């Protein structure tokens, strides 16, 4: 393994050893506190444009497998770990992490002090950075990091959304399928299957799986699809997916959603459910504003309180922007609150069947607390 360096725009430089691919890449440097799920993180389109550092010290010990991919390829710009496991042992594994990353052209850095990196990120905030195995000059790398574009003001969904319309019929698969059915979605409501049109801004595969298991027939369309095209598909429900980048840069999508709230939900009673970026876009469409968090929420252990029931869910999260609760209009209420920092984690229209959450109820890194939201969406369609 050769030398690899990670340089931040504030002048901090970390030196480690490379794994995966070689070369040079820039991105916003963020951290994730999950102990498992590194393959899902690598292939989550929401991480497009970001260099991800894992806080858990040993990564790669259970290898990789096709079933855990959340998209057709990794989207993380580069991957930073304290130690890459030299052994991959799991009955589902068919490839080691370093080989997988090399095959997909993803740079990796191991052997740096990830605690110091995370502490710096929490103090200063998420910063622009660069990973390189080619240019090892500290001053040059810091300058390149400062010149990189970052995420603010950029619409990155165009790189990750599908080109056309497609049907999705696959539910849970593999050895964990029955466990997921019994612990996360529960029984399918009576009354037949409902047709959901899912707007894909960079959607993880587990989301349409959950929709299918919840009793839905799913049609996936690009997130840029106009409201007229969506309504022509005669949806029983409309879903808004996760995705990368700055929600403030997606003005056309917000206008389309504003139209959908009026034409679909208000006039026809069609439910709308959003997750992550979909939550932020829906918030804007309803009249709220979004802002960039200092260092974001990324991990599988974030406590969120449901304001209706008072119950706390342990959630999986991945976002760097949030909806400003103070900017919500009178007819939109706060439904969920993050117990770490008090930020908005969910909203709900007081009159229309429109709701959204900032976290990921489809993720299964351990907590199964939030799968009920898909059932709620399905029940609203059955009314």
């Amino acid at each position: 393994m050769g030398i690899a360096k990670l340089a931040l725009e504030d002048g901090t430089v970390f030196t480690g050893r490379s794994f995966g691919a070689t070369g040079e890449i820039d991105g916003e440097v963020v951290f994730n506190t999950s102990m498992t799920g590194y393959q899902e993180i690598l292939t989550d389109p929401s991480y497009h444009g970001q260099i991800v550092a894992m806080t858990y010290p040993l990564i790669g010990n259970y290898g990789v497998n096709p079933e855990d991919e959340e998209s057709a390829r990794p989207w993380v710009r580069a991957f930073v770990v304290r130690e890459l496991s030299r052994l991959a042992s799991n009955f589902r594994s068919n490839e080691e992490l370093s080989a997988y990353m090399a095959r997909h052209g993803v740079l990796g850095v191991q052997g740096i002090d990830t605690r110091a990196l995370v502490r710096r990120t929490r103090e200063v905030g998420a910063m622009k950075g660069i990973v390189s195995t080619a240019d090892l000059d500290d001053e040059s790398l810091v300058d390149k990091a400062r010149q990189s574009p970052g995420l603010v003001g950029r619409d990155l969904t165009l790189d990750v959304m599908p080109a056309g319309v497609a049907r999705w019929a696959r539910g849970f698969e593999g050895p964990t399928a029955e466990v997921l059915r019994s612990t996360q979605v529960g029984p399918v409501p009576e009354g037949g299957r409902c047709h959901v049109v899912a707007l894909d801004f960079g959607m993880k595969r587990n989301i349409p799986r959950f929709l299918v298991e919840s009793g839905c027939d799913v049609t996936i369309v690009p997130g840029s699809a106009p409201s007229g095209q969506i309504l022509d598909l005669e949806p029983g429900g409309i879903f808004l997916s996760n995705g990368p980048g700055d929600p403030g840069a997606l003005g056309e999508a917000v206008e389309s959603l504003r139209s959908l709230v009026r034409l679909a939900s208000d006039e026809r009673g069609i439910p709308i459910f959003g997750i992550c970026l979909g939550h932020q876009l829906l918030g804007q469409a309803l009249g709220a504003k979004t802002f960039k968090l200092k260092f974001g929420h990324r991990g599988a252990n974030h406590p969120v309180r449901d304001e209706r029931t008072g119950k706390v869910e342990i959630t999986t999260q991945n976002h760097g922007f949030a909806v400003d609760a103070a900017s919500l209009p009178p007819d939109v209420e706060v439904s969920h609150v993050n117990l770490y920092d008090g930020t908005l984690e969910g909203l709900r229209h007081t009159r229309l069947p429109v709701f959204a959450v900032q976290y990921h109820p489809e993720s299964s890194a351990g907590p199964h607390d939030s799968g009920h939201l898909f059932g709620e969406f399905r029940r609203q369609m059955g009314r």
Side-chain angles (χ1 to χ4, degrees), residues 148-187:
S148 63
L151 292 186
V152 177
R154 295 177 65 191
D155 178 3
L156 297 179
T157 64
L158 297 175
D159 297 333
V160 300
M161 70 174 61
V165 177
R167 292 278 183 171
W168 181 283
R170 292 165 50 195
F172 299 148
E173 299 171 338
T176 61
E178 290 304 320
V179 174
L180 291 174
R181 289 190 185 101
S182 63
T183 60
Q184 300 208 46
V185 296

Side-chain angles (χ1 to χ4, degrees), residues 275-308:
I275 285 176
C276 201
L277 179 66
H279 169 266
Q280 298 159 9
L281 297 177
L282 187 57
Q284 291 181 101
L286 293 171
K289 298 179 180 179
T290 58
F291 67 98
K292 195 174 192 301
L293 294 165
K294 184 176 181 180
F295 49 80
H297 301 153
R298 298 173 184 88
N301 56 352
H302 289 250
V304 169
R305 184 179 64 234
D306 186 328
E307 297 296 88
R308 296 173 300 170

Side-chain angles (χ1 to χ4, degrees), residues 128-201:
K128 296 184 292 183
I130 191 163
V131 169
S132 182
T133 63
D135 182 359
L136 301 179
D137 180 80
D138 290 3
E139 185 176 346
S140 171
L141 289 174
V142 170
D143 183 64
K144 290 178 182 178
R146 291 170 177 166
Q147 297 302 317
S148 63
L151 292 186
V152 177
R154 295 177 65 191
D155 178 3
L156 297 179
T157 64
L158 297 175
D159 297 333
V160 300
M161 70 174 61
V165 177
R167 292 278 183 171
W168 181 283
R170 292 165 50 195
F172 299 148
E173 299 171 338
T176 61
E178 290 304 320
V179 174
L180 291 174
R181 289 190 185 101
S182 63
T183 60
Q184 300 208 46
V185 296
V188 175
E190 297 180 359
R193 302 185 70 82
C194 293
H195 180 214
V196 170
V197 175
L199 276 67
D200 187 343
F201 296 97

